[in-house]
């Protein structure tokens, strides 16, 4: 018998648990307003998988750009605010959809009513009982108010989704700029260190030549001055390097006191592509989330005008009420009563002191403001795309020139050092060659950083940058 009961109760318990879980999920979002992105996560353009959060933070090894991007996308507070705003707007869509459904409310009261008759021979009475009030209401018809309100809510949800994508693109742009600025500053510091080492070597050669009578004291003094200047420049570059690392840490949302180094992420791989400026501008117009968000805000503002206009038009509602043992706001009935009413209510606004006219005018002004903001957003995005495209083309052309300059400067310094050691060159020649090499190294580093940064910023400004593009 016990086994029989277990066979009956076991499946029944599982069925009840399953039904409870389903009901819980259904009641969480019965009108299906939550976007899929809240469950699956955000996938950037060109990526196959959503952003992995939390991102691993292993600072014991050199930090690559892709890792910095992942950390920033998971830690940025503006992204979290935009993500929460999607949930807020999804709730607003639910409220707008709920306006098409009926409402039902029930009020239960347990009352004790005592009635006394002072100055009269009539005895006091006490009545104990319960009251039940039930109300049913269902709007059957209006002049487009609910539809316009739903359109406005849907547009605002679309704007929230697009704004979240826009914040992601802005974060990508910010961390890319901060990363390559840090890489540039670090590479410049290393170049200054090498320059300091070369200047120290040159000073040693000058001292040996002076000691052997092959050079004058003036050569040693000039070499000493060059070495001191190189050491000063190296110290300044060290400060710039640590400052850039602190800015990058702030952009990534990690503590600035963490000790870490950057990976050697400077290379000349990648191409600008065959798109001309017009194609990039068209891509930004279609895909940039900031433009999509501004456009959705404008559409929501237009729908809001229709919502406010409909408030001054008639509505038709179906109502039903049930009252047991009394009415709301009254005492308990001395006798048991049951009253039920069913009716159709027509509401016609007559006059509100011209308040509605001014509300419509204000909504129209907000729609005009949203349209102007859309135009301003489009103008700003186009400007950033034009600048990024010009920077990318310029940086691409500078790559080859900077490589040629670096090779020539290295060869010139090596030649000058050999000639000076043999007494065939002056100290000024070797110092000039040394300065030219430092400049060439800085130009090469800057060209590489400018190229990678400009190419990725162009994608970001067009709204097309994803984690896959950062890794290539």
């Amino acid at each position: 018998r016990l086994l029989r009961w277990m066979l009956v109760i076991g499946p029944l318990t599982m069925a009840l648990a399953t039904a409870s879980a389903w009901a819980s999920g259904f009641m969480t979002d019965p009108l299906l307003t939550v976007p899929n992105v809240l469950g699956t996560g955000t996938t950037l353009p060109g990526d196959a998988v959503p952003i992995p959060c939390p991102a691993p933070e292993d600072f014991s090894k050199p930090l690559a750009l892709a890792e910095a991007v992942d950390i920033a996308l998971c830690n940025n507070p503006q992204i979290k605010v935009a993500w929460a705003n999607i949930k807020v707007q999804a709730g607003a869509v639910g409220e707008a959809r709920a306006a098409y459904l009926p409402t039902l409310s029930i009020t239960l009261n347990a009352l004790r009513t005592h009635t006394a008759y002072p100055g009269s021979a009539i005895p006091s009475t006490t009545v104990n009982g319960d009251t039940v009030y039930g109300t049913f209401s269902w709007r059957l018809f209006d002049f487009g108010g609910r539809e316009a309100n739903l359109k406005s809510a849907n547009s605002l949800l679309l704007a929230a989704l697009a704004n979240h994508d826009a914040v992601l693109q802005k974060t990508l742009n910010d961390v890319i700029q901060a990363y390559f600025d840090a890489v540039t500053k670090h590479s410049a510091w290393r170049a200054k260190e090498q320059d300091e080492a070369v200047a120290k070597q040159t000073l040693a050669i000058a001292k040996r030549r002076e000691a052997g009578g092959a050079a004058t004291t003036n050569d040693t003094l000039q070499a000493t001055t060059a070495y001191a200047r190189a050491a000063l420049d190296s110290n300044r570059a060290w400060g710039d390097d640590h400052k850039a690392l602190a800015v990058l840490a702030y952009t990534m949302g990690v503590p600035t006191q963490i000790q870490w180094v950057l990976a050697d992420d400077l290379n000349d791989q990648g191409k600008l592509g065959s798109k001309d400026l017009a194609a990039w501008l068209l891509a930004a117009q279609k895909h940039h989330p900031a433009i999509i968000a501004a456009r959705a805000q404008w559409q929501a503002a237009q729908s809001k005008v229709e919502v406010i206009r409909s408030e001054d038009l008639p509505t038709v509602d179906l109502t039903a009420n049930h009252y047991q043992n009394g009415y709301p706001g009254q005492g308990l009935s001395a006798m048991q009563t049951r009253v039920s009413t069913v009716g159709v209510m027509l509401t016609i606004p007559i006059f509100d002191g011209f308040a509605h006219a001014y509300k419509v005018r204000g909504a129209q002004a907000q729609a005009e403001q949203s349209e102007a903001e859309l135009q301003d957003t489009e103008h700003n995005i186009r400007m950033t795309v034009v600048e990024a495209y010009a920077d990318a083309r310029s940086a691409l052309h500078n790559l080859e020139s900077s490589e040629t300059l670096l090779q020539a400067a290295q060869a010139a310094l090596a030649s000058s050092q050999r000639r000076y050691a043999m007494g065939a060159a002056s100290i000024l020649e070797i110092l000039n060659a040394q300065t030219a090499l430092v400049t060439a190294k800085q130009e090469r580093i800057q060209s590489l950083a400018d190229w990678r940064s400009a190419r990725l910023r162009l994608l970001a400004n067009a709204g097309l940058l994803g984690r896959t593009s950062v890794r290539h």
Side-chain angles (χ1 to χ4, degrees), residues 409-445:
Q410 289 173 338
L413 178 59
S415 175
S416 297
Q417 287 177 328
R418 289 192 300 268
R419 286 162 48 82
Y420 182 72
M422 294 184 297
S426 66
I427 188 66
L428 291 177
E429 179 180 339
I430 195 171
L431 293 178
N432 289 336
Q434 180 181 328
T435 302
L437 178 59
V438 173
T439 302
K441 288 180 179 179
Q442 292 177 344
E443 291 293 341
R444 180 60 179 172
I445 294 169

Side-chain angles (χ1 to χ4, degrees), residues 173-456:
N173 189 27
D174 292 344
V175 72
I176 286 169
Q177 287 187 345
Y179 184 87
F180 283 114
D181 184 58
V183 170
T184 301
K185 293 296 192 297
H186 183 71
S187 299
W189 171 46
R190 297 301 299 271
K192 293 294 185 181
E193 279 191 324
Q194 295 175 6
D195 178 40
E196 182 182 0
V198 173
K200 185 177 182 181
Q201 181 182 8
T202 302
L203 176 58
I205 295 174
K207 287 181 177 180
R208 286 198 304 268
R209 294 193 63 200
E210 181 185 2
T216 64
T217 305
N218 185 52
D219 287 0
T220 303
L221 292 176
Q222 292 189 53
T224 302
T225 303
Y227 173 65
R229 184 185 301 111
L232 178 60
D233 292 342
S234 178
N235 290 333
R236 288 175 175 171
W238 179 87
D240 293 339
D241 174 46
H242 282 67
K243 178 181 177 181
L245 287 175
V247 172
L248 176 58
Y250 175 80
T251 306
M252 292 166 51
V254 299
T256 56
Q257 66 269 20
I258 293 179
Q259 299 296 324
W260 44 294
V261 296
L262 301 180
D264 186 9
D265 241 351
L266 289 180
N267 57 71
D268 57 356
Q269 296 179 0
K271 297 183 180 298
L272 186 58
S274 59
K275 289 183 180 180
D276 58 7
L277 178 58
W280 283 106
L281 290 173
L282 181 61
Q285 185 71 24
K286 289 183 177 180
H287 303 293
H288 200 288
I291 295 179
I292 297 175
R295 189 180 297 119
Q297 291 279 2
W298 176 43
Q299 293 170 350
Q302 290 178 313
S303 298
K304 199 65 178 179
V305 175
E306 299 303 321
V307 171
I308 295 178
R309 282 177 175 170
S310 68
E311 293 176 355
D312 200 38
L313 299 175
T315 58
V316 178
D317 297 272
L318 173 65
T319 62
N321 300 280
H322 176 76
Y323 309 104
Q324 180 174 321
N325 299 335
Y327 295 94
Q330 298 182 1
L332 183 67
S333 174
M335 302 177 60
Q336 289 190 355
T337 61
R338 288 183 176 86
V339 179
S340 299
T341 64
V342 177
V344 176
M345 181 173 62
L346 173 65
T347 304
I348 303 175
I350 302 299
F351 181 70
D352 61 355
F354 305 106
H356 181 263
Y358 287 101
K359 288 178 65 177
V360 172
R361 187 176 299 178
Q364 291 173 335
Q366 290 180 348
E368 294 176 3
Q369 182 181 12
S370 297
E371 184 179 10
E373 291 174 351
L374 170 60
Q375 295 174 353
D376 182 61
T377 300
E378 291 175 337
H379 173 75
N380 291 335
I381 295 300
R382 284 196 298 267
M383 180 60 65
T384 58
V385 170
V386 170
E387 293 176 350
Y389 181 78
D391 290 342
R393 285 179 57 87
S394 175
L396 186 59
H397 291 317
N398 290 338
L399 283 178
E400 183 177 354
S401 299
S402 64
E403 177 65 20
T404 302
L405 176 62
L406 178 59
Q407 293 177 358
Q410 289 173 338
L413 178 59
S415 175
S416 297
Q417 287 177 328
R418 289 192 300 268
R419 286 162 48 82
Y420 182 72
M422 294 184 297
S426 66
I427 188 66
L428 291 177
E429 179 180 339
I430 195 171
L431 293 178
N432 289 336
Q434 180 181 328
T435 302
L437 178 59
V438 173
T439 302
K441 288 180 179 179
Q442 292 177 344
E443 291 293 341
R444 180 60 179 172
I445 294 169
Q446 192 67 51
S447 296
L448 288 170
D450 288 347
W451 159 239
R452 286 212 61 194
S453 177
R455 184 176 69 87
L456 295 176

Side-chain angles (χ1 to χ4, degrees), residues 89-113:
Q89 294 304 326
V93 172
E95 292 183 19
R97 291 182 181 177
Y100 286 90
L101 300 178
T103 60
L104 176 64
S105 64
I106 298 177
T107 303
L108 305 176
N109 292 316
L111 300 177
R112 176 184 178 90
T113 303

Side-chain angles (χ1 to χ4, degrees), residues 73 76 78-79 82 162-172 289:
L73 292 178
N76 189 283
Q78 293 182 350
I79 296 178
N163 181 66
H164 178 258
D165 293 340
V167 175
L168 290 175
Q169 293 292 320
K170 181 181 182 299
T171 302
L172 285 170

